[in-house]
Amino acid sequence: MFVLHHGDVRTALAAAVAAFSSHNSTPPFGGGGGRREWQPAAFLRPVAARAGPSQRPLSVSIAAPPSVKDGEKPEICTADELHYAPVPGTEWRLALWRYRPPPEAPKRNHPLMLLSGVGTNAIGFDLSPGASFARHMSSQGFDTWIVEVRDYVDKINPNDAMLVKERLIGSSGPMPDSEIANVNDKTTDTITWNEPKLVTELTATFMRLADRFSGYLNEGQLRDISAKLFDQISKLLEDTRLSERYNEIAENISALLETRQNSTVAGQIKDLSQRLVNVIEEGQRSVSPQLFDLQERLSATIEDFQKQLDLIITYDWDFDNYLEEDVPAAMEYIRLQTQSKDGKLLAIGHSMGGILLYAMLSKCAHEKIKSKLAGVVTLASSIDYTTSKSSLKLLLPLADPAQALNVPVVPLGVLLAAAYPLSSRPPYVLSWLNDQISAQDMMHPELFAKLVLNNFCTVPAKVILQLTTAFRDGGLRNRTGTFFYKDHLCKCDVPILALAGDVDLICPPEAVYETVKLIPKEMIIYKVFGKPDGPHYAHYDLVGGRMAIKEVYPCILQFLSRHDDLPTPDSD
């Protein structure tokens, strides 16, 4: 079986960065020539800007009606209707793609909700008229809704994307000699420092770090994050032979960041920032030749660090936000729109979408409340990966929250789009990426290209950090680590169909079974698709593989039809 190594990922990301310079010049969707790109912002926009005065707004607000019908919705949306569901207590509105059943279709009692995987959008469920999971389900009579959770915002700023890629690849290194100006011919000149500006910038950075992350990171992790900034600064000054005072001041600032904020702490941080700038200036003047652009480089380092903090703040949500806010809001909206007689929905989740459904059923069982789900289908999903060889183990280096500073978001869509030419054209140096998505010959090349280039979005580090707990003993847990979602599936009272693909590298059958075995036998049906001689099913093939319509869809429809019946008055 194919094994993925960290070196392969490093090579892939490096190649993606190399390709990004030309990819980044592609015009946005709908403009000019070249490849047309999907812009997620057309489908989900916050009602209000998120930020403080120094932060770029997440996106521009729009006054979209709750429902946008055909002719008014964006071209990329192939659904019959596009709805926007507000998330109570937040500024978010979720995009819901609705597919109405044709008049001749069988009459059904429950609407069908579709949830997609992490960092993906609705396109994966509706690639083309002939390969549309959503359209097929609606043709069988189900009022079908694809839910886009809050991932799908404006594209990450290209400059920020490059910053994230550099962090992912570890490409930062010593400053090229060409950037260090030799000023021997100006020995009588004195480089003037703008101390107030540098002190203000440093103080603002440290205070923001202390204020924003005191509840997000524990003390040791907060110290690690601040140490990264000091390390970045010290690298600029490797040749200046700074005294131990620099390290002493840096240590004092780190300690203060872990202290509860008050006016005294703020004053101390400002004083230490002044002393830090003084030490750096002294070191700058003590060497010959002087580093002519050191002040600009130091200021740029601080600005770069601030951008990383901004990305973390902008993408400030995790798996539990999806579970506790987005999915309930979407379900309530769908119930109100469809008016099902018993108020229940049928639901299908692919990858993280299925994980959300498992987690929801576990919480409902623990709290002894009804989930309002008539039946659930999970595709390539598990909440316990501890015994599997899933390629998602590559995310484990991010399991330390301090890594959120280096990788605040993963621009999955940009990375895959940049890497795609290297996986689909000779010499196919990244062809192994294709196997992560689809088995050989299971998707038409044009549909596979559309999936890779249009279906993936930016993933917040906090989502990834929480999902990596699925690889630890006890499986996936809530953000505080106090609730293990697998612990209460033994009390599940909703029928579940769990499907796996035989060559799925992301969620192998053994991972799916780790969750299946927890559910009461009378409530679960488990099936692995794929045969020794083919066809084989990888992670996405259960949804969009060429054989899915003949092999997978009928299995799903049989299950949904069985559990679409309305309960008798005394059975619920």
Side-chain angles (χ1 to χ4, degrees), residues 201-520:
E201 289 177 342
L202 275 173
T203 302
T205 297
F206 293 136
M207 293 300 295
R208 189 174 189 185
L209 183 62
D211 178 52
R212 186 57 184 156
F213 297 100
S214 58
Y216 177 61
L217 305 170
N218 62 40
E219 290 184 0
Q221 293 160 344
L222 190 60
R223 180 180 290 269
D224 288 342
I225 270 190
S226 58
K228 290 179 185 294
L229 175 60
F230 295 128
D231 183 59
Q232 291 175 28
I233 295 175
S234 66
K235 284 180 180 179
L236 298 177
L237 307 166
E238 286 177 351
D239 297 329
T240 63
R241 302 176 184 176
L242 292 176
S243 69
E244 294 181 355
R245 284 186 295 154
Y246 175 86
N247 292 330
E248 179 186 350
I249 294 171
E251 184 68 20
N252 288 337
I253 292 176
S254 293
L256 283 174
L257 293 179
E258 299 165 14
T259 305
R260 185 177 179 86
Q261 269 204 62
N262 53 47
S263 58
T264 302
V265 172
Q268 288 177 303
I269 287 180
K270 182 175 181 180
D271 177 64
L272 287 170
S273 297
Q274 175 70 65
R275 290 171 59 190
L276 189 63
V277 170
N278 291 343
V279 170
I280 294 172
E281 181 181 10
E282 182 179 336
Q284 154 73 0
R285 291 171 177 168
S286 67
V287 298
S288 181
Q290 292 189 8
L291 304 181
F292 183 70
D293 60 347
L294 182 59
Q295 179 174 342
E296 288 74 17
R297 289 161 54 192
L298 177 58
S299 182
T301 297
I302 299 171
E303 181 181 355
D304 179 80
F305 188 83
Q306 285 276 21
K307 285 182 179 180
Q308 295 176 61
L309 299 185
D310 285 344
L311 282 173
I312 298 174
I313 294 170
T314 299
Y315 289 84
D316 185 23
W317 66 85
D318 56 20
F319 176 88
D320 283 356
N321 290 117
Y322 297 150
L323 176 64
E324 298 168 0
E325 299 174 4
D326 293 11
V327 175
M331 289 180 63
E332 182 62 22
Y333 185 90
I334 294 170
R335 279 197 291 264
L336 291 174
Q337 291 291 318
T338 57
Q339 296 293 316
S340 64
K341 293 181 180 179
D342 61 357
K344 292 184 177 181
L345 284 69
L346 294 163
I348 299 176
H350 175 247
S351 195
M352 188 189 73
I355 297 175
L356 283 166
L357 293 172
Y358 280 135
M360 178 182 176
L361 293 174
S362 179
K363 285 197 66 176
C364 289
H366 172 66
E367 297 170 3
K368 298 180 180 180
I369 60 175
K370 295 296 184 181
S371 65
K372 296 297 183 181
L373 292 172
V376 164
V377 180
T378 64
L379 309 174
S381 303
S382 179
I383 56 175
D384 188 348
Y385 286 78
T386 53
T387 63
S388 77
K389 297 180 180 179
S390 168
S391 57
L392 288 181
K393 286 186 177 179
L394 292 168
L395 299 177
L396 289 180
L398 293 177
D400 179 1
Q403 291 298 321
L405 179 68
N406 275 345
V407 190
V409 297
V410 178
L412 186 59
V414 176
L415 285 172
L416 287 177
Y420 175 71
L422 302 176
S423 67
S424 59
R425 302 171 189 168
Y428 303 104
V429 294
L430 298 182
S431 59
W432 55 266
L433 284 173
N434 298 342
D435 296 331
Q436 302 291 315
I437 300 171
S438 178
Q440 188 172 1
D441 298 326
M442 277 297 279
M443 289 190 69
H444 189 282
E446 289 185 6
L447 294 181
F448 184 82
K450 181 177 181 181
L451 179 72
V452 172
L453 297 176
N454 297 291
N455 186 54
F456 296 94
C457 308
T458 298
V459 186
K462 291 178 72 172
V463 172
I464 294 176
L465 296 179
Q466 190 171 353
L467 288 175
T468 58
T469 65
F471 289 91
R472 302 178 191 169
D473 290 341
L476 184 71
R477 61 210 69 182
N478 65 357
R479 67 170 66 96
T480 60
T482 57
F483 186 89
F484 293 78
Y485 291 112
K486 65 184 287 184
D487 287 354
H488 304 281
L489 285 177
C490 61
K491 297 175 283 187
C492 176
D493 61 355
V494 175
I496 300 173
L497 172 64
L499 304 183
D502 63 329
V503 294
D504 191 334
L505 300 174
I506 293 175
C507 188
E510 60 267 26
V512 176
Y513 184 71
E514 279 299 308
T515 298
V516 165
K517 69 182 185 182
L518 304 171
I519 300 166

